[in-house]
Amino acid sequence: MAVKKIGELLVESGLISPEQLSEVLRQAKGAKKGKRLGSLLVSKGFCDEIDIAQTLSFQLKIPFVDLASTDIEPEAVELMDEKLANKHLVLPISVEKKVLKLAMADPLNLDAIDDIRFSTGLQIQPCVSTTKSLVGAIRRQYNMNEPIEELVVDLKQDSLVEVVHESDSGRDLTEQVRRSAAPPIIKMVDSIIVHAVENKASDIHIEPQEKEVKLRLRVDGIMRETMQLPKWVQGPVVSRIKIMAKMDIAERRVSQDGRIKVRIGERSLDLRISTLPTHYGETVVLRVLDSKASVADLDGLGLSERDHEVVKDMIDRPQGIVLVTGPTGSGKSSSLYAMITSIMSEKINIITIEDPIEYELKGVNQVAVNEKTGLTFAYTLRSVLRQDPDVILVGEMRDTETAVIAHQASLTGHLVFTTLHTNDAVSSVVRLKNMDVPNYMIGTALNGIVAQRLVRSICSECKESYRPEAGEIERYGALLAGTEKLYRGAGCESCNGTGYSGRIGVFEVLSVNDRFRSLVATDAPEHELVKAAVEGGMTPLHMDGVRKVLAGKTTIEELTRVVYLSKSDSGAESTCPWCSSAVESGSAHCSSCGKNLLLECPGCAKTREPDWVACPYCAEKFDFETREHA
């Protein structure tokens, strides 16, 4: 059966009439060589390009592709030179196994298909696209300099990102490196990294959408959209990043992890790379780690005076476990480094086990975990114990084996610092029990637990006071009752109009005393542990946040965003905000812990802090244990 021509299919579909086809064919005979039938139909106004392409797609039952929103693989483009692409008006889209997907203006052009099959040695899977989009896409893919120059105009371009290559397994990446080494693509990726570093971003997110690629940065814990890139740069940019990280650029169906060491000027940075296949292509996240950055000291974390003293007592002991807990991105590593720095001395041997090493500490032996080679936390911890350490930092207790070894190490004379992913201090004990760490071991080993979050600090350049509305502080009930002045950032050039600059910690510090140990050993329920912790002096996480709001360090909105506050925490329902015990509705005092539920001075009724010994307004004194009227 003879193959129908494009004109015949358009007539059969009713898109054009036989008379119109005859007229265009007569004109085609006199037209200059290379003038295509579709272009003549469009120029005569008989139809438009998208109608032709979609009609052919329907008639031939082959897919239609919109090249403006299609991820074009640079590896596929490399298989065909520009001259051949222009000759037949085609563009390779992707290659999988032995099949090359090809966008064509005329999918019935068998000469073109045979020519490209012979040239590439691959089977051809044709797709339909418009002439206009093919001309533009061919220009972009084979001559990327001009459009990319326009895209990166708002990004920093005069800084060089130098990739620092480490020794690898001998894998030959020469061909892959050559394919990803197009100067404009390198410039674009370098510009994205430099822009993120200059904006103090902790993460770079490259997220493919249906018709564009979204570039977002995480700054001070908040995602900010930086720009939108056209869909056609997705493939080259992702491939460039994968090559830098020595990842498999041919594998797009599974997630991958990698790392890049780069140098920007005098700064050395580690980039942790993660890719994830999504509906519209691979999402790429780059975590920016500055191992040479200065480590905050204990005084700079934002601990209250009382909590600072409690933490100092925990870490000054010769043995035991100091546990820091909180979700990802809550500043746990920074707190651990600050603790290590404060006790560092030539007289003790400190070894850390981390994944990855986020900061370099002089005088400390730091080990990077490598799961692929079997260098796990548990395996490394056993080896470290044979190195005669005094202090051990375990980046995270991820499994039962690591948790048990860490507790055993603390019981045999070592001071162990480690982390867990839990919401608050007391729930860390429950988590350890669920990891099958024996109760007696938990109670005996723990020196204390620090739960924390990071909240954005009010910008010092545009900080202003204001009178809060009743509805703004209603959620915090008694905790903010009577507050007449709060603070916020008006927004300025220094803080990029956000009103915030930098972050500060909100803490819940639990010092493990004899009563708490006995409750853990006897498997007491969680609410009893909470009560004992509060009675032992622990300030709940939300209360430390409220103090920082009243002190003008952060805002109500920011605290609410980061720290979950239930109605019981605010005192709005019949539950004590100090010890979580049930209280009679409307009670002024908790029958369990004796604390004042109204947070008022009984002498002058002014709003007071829970740890005041005396009222600064009327000099009324409070009992030390209950903070009640003496």
Side-chain angles (χ1 to χ4, degrees):
M1 185 172 120
V3 178
K4 293 183 179 180
K5 296 183 178 181
I6 185 171
E8 296 172 357
L9 287 175
L10 296 177
V11 171
E12 284 185 5
S13 68
L15 185 64
I16 61 175
S17 67
E19 292 77 15
Q20 289 173 329
L21 176 59
S22 298
E23 181 181 341
V24 171
L25 289 175
R26 285 195 302 270
Q27 184 178 343
K29 291 180 181 179
K32 62 181 181 179
K33 188 178 180 181
K35 191 72 172 178
R36 300 176 187 277
L37 178 65
S39 300
L40 291 172
L41 288 169
V42 172
S43 65
K44 296 290 288 185
F46 295 152
C47 55
D48 57 38
E49 287 190 344
I50 192 71
D51 290 334
I52 295 173
Q54 290 179 343
T55 299
L56 290 175
S57 174
F58 176 76
Q59 291 280 5
L60 300 173
K61 295 181 172 53
I62 61 176
F64 169 79
V65 292
D66 180 5
L67 294 176
S69 59
T70 298
D71 179 16
I72 298 173
E73 298 178 1
E75 299 84 1
V77 176
E78 285 284 338
L79 295 172
M80 183 189 303
D81 61 33
E82 183 181 3
K83 184 177 180 180
L84 188 60
N86 281 316
K87 175 184 176 182
H88 298 299
L89 199 57
V90 297
L91 181 69
I93 297 175
S94 64
V95 59
E96 185 171 355
K97 296 182 179 178
K98 295 288 185 179
V99 179
L100 178 67
K101 185 181 288 187
L102 192 68
M104 307 179 68
D106 181 4
L108 295 174
N109 189 343
L110 299 182
D111 290 337
I113 292 176
D114 289 340
D115 197 2
I116 296 165
R117 183 188 294 120
F118 178 79
S119 173
T120 61
L122 300 172
Q123 293 299 313
I124 305 302
Q125 178 187 340
C127 301
V128 186
S129 191
T130 64
T131 300
K132 183 178 179 180
S133 64
L134 275 165
V135 171
I138 291 170
R139 183 182 66 84
R140 287 195 303 266
Q141 293 298 323
Y142 290 100
N143 303 278
M144 288 186 175
N145 291 298
E146 292 180 11
I148 288 186
E149 288 289 347
E150 296 173 3
L151 289 172
V152 299
V153 68
D154 295 328
L155 299 177
K156 192 77 175 176
Q157 299 187 53
D158 57 1
S159 296
L160 173 67
V161 175
E162 179 186 354
V163 181
V164 181
H165 294 288
E166 297 178 336
S167 58
D168 56 24
S169 59
R171 181 183 176 189
D172 185 10
L173 296 173
T174 305
E175 180 62 19
Q176 293 180 342
V177 170
R178 184 185 68 79
R179 291 181 179 181
S180 69
I185 292 299
I186 293 175
K187 190 172 188 179
M188 170 170 280
V189 174
D190 287 359
S191 299
I192 290 171
I193 295 172
V194 171
H195 180 72
V197 171
E198 291 190 344
N199 282 272
K200 300 179 181 177
S202 60
D203 300 89
I204 305 169
H205 291 248
I206 300 172
E207 303 170 337
Q209 307 297 310
E210 182 179 4
K211 296 186 177 180
E212 71 276 336
V213 179
K214 189 180 295 184
L215 176 63
R216 296 199 292 170
L217 304 179
R218 186 178 294 278
V219 181
D220 289 338
I222 301 295
M223 297 289 283
R224 298 180 185 175
E225 185 170 333
T226 302
M227 66 186 303
Q228 291 184 350
L229 305 173
K231 187 72 172 179
W232 58 266
V233 306
Q234 178 181 325
V237 167
V238 172
S239 291
R240 170 60 184 167
I241 293 171
K242 283 185 170 183
I243 291 299
M244 293 169 69
K246 298 185 178 180
M247 298 160 68
D248 186 356
I249 65 172
E251 181 56 77
R252 295 177 175 83
R253 295 166 296 181
V254 298
S255 60
Q256 295 186 63
D257 296 305
R259 59 176 295 188
I260 309 170
K261 287 185 71 71
V262 300
R263 186 176 296 113
I264 303 176
E266 298 299 321
R267 296 181 65 182
S268 294
L269 301 171
D270 279 328
L271 305 179
R272 306 287 291 191
I273 316 299
S274 174
T275 65
L276 181 69
T278 64
H279 182 56
Y280 295 117
E282 288 181 287
T283 295
V284 183
V285 177
L286 297 85
R287 169 65 60 87
V288 182
L289 302 172
D290 188 353
S291 60
K292 300 290 185 180
S294 58
V295 178
D297 57 21
L298 208 57
D299 296 330
L301 294 180
L303 291 161
S304 66
E305 185 176 344
R306 181 251 172 208
D307 287 345
H308 185 278
E309 292 302 317
V310 172
V311 171
K312 278 290 292 178
D313 177 67
M314 291 180 192
I315 65 179
D316 284 340
R317 301 178 195 178
Q319 65 185 59
I321 287 183
V322 177
L323 189 59
V324 180
T325 184
T328 301
S330 60
K332 299 186 296 296
S333 296
S334 296
S335 294
L336 288 177
Y337 281 119
M339 294 175 189
I340 289 290
T341 302
S342 67
I343 64 171
M344 195 182 300
S345 167
E346 293 183 359
K347 298 179 181 179
I348 59 175
N349 180 20
I350 303 175
I351 302 178
T352 71
I353 308 169
E354 307 171 61
D355 182 25
I357 297 174
E358 295 191 21
Y359 301 97
E360 292 183 9
L361 299 175
K362 291 184 178 179
V364 174
N365 299 304
Q366 296 176 270
V367 182
V369 168
N370 189 337
E371 301 279 352
K372 294 180 180 179
T373 62
L375 199 65
T376 62
F377 276 108
Y379 177 85
T380 308
L381 182 53
R382 286 197 191 91
S383 301
V384 163
L385 290 172
R386 296 192 288 270
Q387 294 285 312
D388 188 32
D390 298 293
V391 178
I392 305 170
L393 186 154
V394 181
E396 182 184 347
M397 287 195 292
R398 294 180 178 175
D399 50 62
T400 298
E401 187 179 12
T402 305
V404 170
I405 297 172
H407 281 74
Q408 289 172 341
S410 70
L411 296 177
T412 55
H414 303 91
L415 180 60
V416 179
F417 295 90
T418 188
T419 69
L420 269 181
H421 288 284
T422 57
N423 291 328
D424 53 56
V426 172
S427 62
S428 300
V429 175
V430 178
R431 171 71 174 137
L432 290 172
K433 291 180 180 180
N434 292 337
M435 294 174 72
D436 295 328
V437 181
N439 290 344
Y440 76 89
M441 192 176 287
I442 298 172
T444 306
L446 279 178
N447 289 353
I449 307 171
V450 179
Q452 67 178 77
R453 303 289 190 277
L454 289 177
V455 294
R456 290 180 292 171
S457 301
I458 298 174
C459 175
S460 59
E461 300 293 327
C462 59
K463 182 178 178 179
E464 62 179 16
S465 62
Y466 71 101
R467 186 181 183 86
E469 298 179 1
E472 185 176 1
I473 61 176
E474 182 178 355
R475 181 176 180 182
Y476 285 83
L479 301 180
L480 288 173
T483 301
E484 297 182 355
K485 183 171 69 172
L486 291 177
Y487 299 87
R488 63 189 174 194
C492 63
E493 185 177 346
S494 176
C495 63
N496 200 24
T498 63
Y500 298 96
S501 180
R503 289 192 286 180
I504 190 172
V506 175
F507 298 93
E508 181 177 88
V509 180
L510 191 166
S511 180
V512 178
N513 54 28
D514 291 339
R515 182 188 172 195
F516 193 87
R517 293 183 201 279
S518 63
L519 288 172
V520 172
T522 56
D523 204 19
E526 186 173 357
H527 71 273
E528 288 189 22
L529 296 177
V530 173
K531 179 179 178 180
V534 173
E535 291 178 354
M538 182 187 80
T539 301
L541 196 67
H542 65 275
M543 270 305 305
D544 188 55
V546 168
R547 291 178 182 177
K548 288 179 169 65
V549 169
L550 293 173
K553 295 179 179 179
T554 190
T555 64
I556 285 285
E557 294 81 7
E558 181 66 7
L559 179 61
T560 304
R561 181 185 70 83
V562 175
V563 179
Y564 172 72
L565 182 74
S566 66
K567 290 184 177 180
S568 62
D569 289 330
S570 65
E573 290 186 341
S574 55
T575 305
C576 176
W578 307 98
C579 66
S580 299
S581 299
V583 294
E584 186 177 349
S585 181
S587 297
H589 307 87
C590 175
S591 58
S592 298
C593 65
K595 298 294 180 69
N596 188 339
L597 301 178
L598 300 179
L599 292 175
E600 293 179 349
C601 170
C604 64
K606 292 281 189 182
T607 303
R608 65 181 182 85
E609 294 289 342
D611 58 347
W612 283 355
V613 176
C615 177
Y617 300 101
C618 66
E620 189 77 20
K621 293 184 178 180
F622 308 113
D623 177 75
F624 181 80
E625 287 298 322
T626 65
R627 297 292 188 267
E628 285 302 313
H629 180 48

